[in-house]
């Protein structure tokens, strides 16, 4: 392990992260609190993580000289988003511990490979993905089974927050949507009757030990996560343990090292369906910073450096509210000041702003985690906060 407080050439060990967004920023916070120094690679000189890191390399993720610099300086390297070129991770891994591995990231960034992996893990866990077909050509369009419609067409690569998706209810709509997406490789998934959505975050070490956070119940608005709730009774007990079991299986089958989040659907008949995974901490796990004794970001640091991964204990009921840029504007589109004094007067309110200099509609500016002694307490305070924010 790369021990906290150990000096390398007279300096604390340096942890590198590919990507400078809010996930990288919170990784940096966790790494620094354990005494590590950090270096962030991101093309934006004012990136949320770069602004709090000891060092930042301002360059693209596939810039060879930037990767060489990262390689030469960082003692272990992780990523905060899945669309880094997997080759960049693979080349870095030749001489440095890198977690997650390039291969796992390559699978997670491609819905076709991701679904194939889920189908494989389902043989042991019993939790399968939605019925789907891969669409790679005009010919594939005509072969799509009728019972996949109505469905959702998703580009295989680069989709997030509902982007790169289209709902289609007929073959004509499907063909039009596929062409509108640029005729790139897509998956068509059957549209399922969702009762609710949840996600599970695990951290897996090089020795195969796995720590799991409690199961998160998630509410999306316009394809973007809006609210995460984690408290006793937020999900049926048996469902939570099945989702955790399936997530462990998926991580083990990948020989995964690092933090992994798996999203699930719960259908109206109570059955569980696996949706997608992220090879990194996840927006739905932000509550763990304030409501658990070990956060998803500390788990990421620990998995990367080879430290122990004890099971995190949740000590407070919690509701996380995402703060999108929309809140920074009033009804007529003028920018407004948010009532933080009133919000922060509510007991158990924890505000996290990511230091982004410009608010835009749909942009994740921060989040507010409410904690309380009970589900009823935290529900009441989350309602109060939501009413103030409007
Ligand atoms: P993203 O990468 O944008 O998060 P997802 O595949 O998670 O893409 O889809 C975004 C949201 O769209 C999901 O959280 C869910 O609400 C809805 N959705 C996606 N696939 C299906 C489906 N097969 N049936 C019903 N709803 C779906
Ligand atoms: Mg999703």
């Amino acid at each position: 392990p790369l021990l906290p407080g150990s000096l390398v050439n007279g300096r604390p060990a340096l942890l590198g992260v590919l990507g400078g967004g809010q996930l990288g920023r919170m990784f940096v916070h966790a790494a620094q609190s354990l005494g590590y120094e950090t270096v962030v690679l991101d093309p934006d000189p004012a990136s949320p993580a770069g602004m709090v890191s000891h060092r930042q390399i301002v360059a693209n993720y596939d810039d060879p000289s930037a990767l060489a610099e990262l390689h030469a300086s960082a003692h272990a390297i992780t990523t905060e988003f899945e669309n880094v070129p997997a080759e960049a991770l693979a080349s870095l891994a030749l001489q440095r511990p890198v977690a997650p591995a390039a291969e796992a990231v390559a699978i997670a960034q491609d819905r076709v490979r991701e679904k194939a992996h889920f189908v494989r893990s389902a043989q042991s866990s019993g939790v399968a993905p939605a019925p789907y077909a891969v669409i790679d050509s005009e010919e594939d369009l005509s072969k799509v089974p009728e019972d996949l419609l109505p469905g959702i067409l998703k580009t295989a690569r680069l989709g997030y927050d509902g982007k790169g998706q289209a709902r289609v209810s007929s073959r004509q709509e499907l063909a039009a949507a596929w062409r509108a997406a640029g005729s790139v490789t897509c998956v068509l998934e059957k549209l399922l009757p969702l009762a609710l959505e949840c996600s599970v975050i695990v951290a897996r070490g090089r020795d195969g030990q796995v720590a799991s956070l409690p199961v998160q119940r998630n509410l999306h608005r316009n394809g973007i996560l809006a609210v995460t709730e984690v408290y006793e009774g937020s999900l049926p007990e048996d469902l939570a343990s099945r989702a955790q079991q399936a997530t462990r299986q998926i991580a083990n089958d990948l020989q995964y090292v690092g933090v992994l989040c798996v999203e699930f659907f719960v259908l109206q008949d109570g059955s569980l369906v696996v949706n997608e995974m992220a090879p990194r901490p996840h927006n739905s796990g932000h509550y763990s910073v304030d409501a658990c004794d070990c956060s998803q970001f500390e788990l990421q640091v620990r998995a990367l450096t080879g430290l122990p991964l004890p099971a995190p204990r949740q000590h407070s009921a919690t509701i996380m509210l995402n703060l999108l840029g929309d809140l920074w504007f009033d009804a007529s589109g003028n920018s407004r000041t948010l009532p933080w004094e009133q919000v922060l007067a509510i007991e158990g309110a924890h505000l996290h702003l990511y230091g982004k200099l410009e608010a835009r509609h749909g942009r994740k500016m921060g989040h507010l985690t409410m904690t309380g002694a009970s589900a009823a307490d935290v529900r009441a305070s989350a309602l109060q906060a939501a009413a103030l924010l409007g």
Side-chain angles (χ1 to χ4, degrees):
L2 202 54
L3 291 177
S6 57
L7 300 184
V8 187
N9 299 326
R11 301 283 301 182
L14 187 70
L15 305 185
V17 55
L18 288 161
Q22 60 268 16
L23 300 173
R25 180 180 176 99
M26 290 182 270
F27 168 81
V28 164
H29 289 154
Q32 292 179 344
S33 91
L34 279 165
Y36 297 103
E37 294 195 356
T38 56
V39 53
V40 169
L41 172 61
D42 193 281
D44 176 4
S47 72
M51 284 194 283
V52 296
S53 178
H54 292 85
R55 292 167 61 179
Q56 182 179 8
I57 302 170
V58 180
N60 281 323
Y61 311 111
D62 54 0
D63 179 325
S65 68
L67 289 171
E69 190 183 339
L70 185 64
H71 197 272
S73 55
H75 300 105
I77 296 160
T78 187
T79 178
E80 63 115 41
F81 88 140
E82 58 268 45
N83 291 322
V84 293
E87 309 84 69
L89 286 175
S91 75
L92 290 167
L94 293 176
Q95 287 165 54
R96 299 275 179 235
V98 170
E103 181 59 9
V105 173
I107 292 172
Q109 67 188 200
D110 179 342
R111 287 191 199 273
V112 176
R113 297 191 65 190
E114 179 181 62
K115 292 230 186 298
H117 182 73
F118 289 159
V119 169
R120 186 158 75 96
S121 292
Q123 292 168 0
S124 321
S125 72
V127 180
Y132 72 100
V134 177
I135 297 181
D136 222 352
S137 65
E138 292 281 341
E139 204 193 342
D140 291 338
L141 286 173
S142 55
K143 285 192 289 195
V144 161
E146 201 60 45
D147 65 359
L148 289 185
L149 294 168
I152 303 187
L153 185 73
K154 302 180 181 180
T155 56
R157 304 182 76 90
L158 299 173
Y160 69 99
D161 289 346
K163 294 186 179 67
Q165 299 191 9
R167 295 195 173 205
V168 293
S169 52
S170 66
R171 285 181 181 280
Q172 290 88 322
E173 280 180 26
L174 170 62
W178 184 66
R179 288 174 204 137
S183 303
V184 295
T185 305
C186 287
V187 297
L188 174 71
E189 262 178 61
K190 189 180 172 68
L191 183 69
L192 301 174
L194 309 190
L196 56 95
E197 296 186 63
C198 63
S199 57
V200 181
I201 289 165
V202 293
R204 187 173 181 279
R206 286 189 186 81
D207 59 358
Q209 65 170 315
V210 178
S212 179
L213 285 173
V215 181
Q216 298 97 220
R217 179 169 178 169
N218 303 322
L219 201 117
H220 297 86
R221 268 185 222 122
N222 305 320
I224 306 180
L225 183 69
V227 180
T228 293
E229 302 183 327
V230 195
Y231 46 74
E232 222 175 299
S234 60
L235 281 169
E237 199 69 43
D238 67 307
L239 196 84
S241 66
R242 276 190 289 143
Q244 280 181 322
Q245 198 46 51
T247 305
R248 277 170 193 264
Q249 190 67 47
I250 287 164
N252 287 337
D253 289 346
L254 280 169
Q255 291 292 301
Y256 193 84
V257 177
V259 169
L260 179 76
C261 177
V262 180
E263 294 179 16
F264 296 90
F265 299 143
V266 179
L267 305 190
Q268 277 154 21
D269 66 3
S271 58
L272 197 61
V273 169
V274 55
N275 174 32
E276 62 169 356
M277 61 181 166
R280 50 165 174 80
H282 193 260
N283 196 165
S284 65
H286 290 353
Y287 73 93
S288 60
V289 171
D290 300 301
C292 297
D293 59 8
C294 184
S295 75
Q296 61 170 348
F297 303 103
E298 180 168 344
L299 291 173
Q300 185 183 17
V301 175
R302 285 172 176 248
L304 177 65
T305 54
L307 293 172
L309 296 170
R313 183 180 63 85
Q314 184 180 359
H315 50 68
S316 297
T318 185
I319 297 179
M320 186 229 43
L321 308 172
N322 249 357
L323 303 171
L324 298 186
D326 308 51
L327 288 174
W328 271 248
F329 300 96
D330 66 19
S332 23
N334 300 315
S335 56
R336 68 172 187 133
T337 310
L338 286 148
W340 295 132
E341 270 185 68
Q342 288 104 302
V343 170
L344 291 172
I346 305 170
E347 267 178 54
H350 309 269
L351 177 63
H352 300 260
L353 294 178
Y354 307 146
K356 296 184 184 178
L357 301 178
E358 191 198 345
R360 288 196 297 269
H361 290 278
R363 189 176 199 201
K364 290 173 180 169
M365 301 299 290
H367 67 272
L368 183 69
T369 305
M370 308 303 296
T371 56
S374 68
D377 282 356
V378 78
R379 275 214 214 99
S381 58
L383 280 174
Q384 222 182 320
L388 283 168
L389 291 169

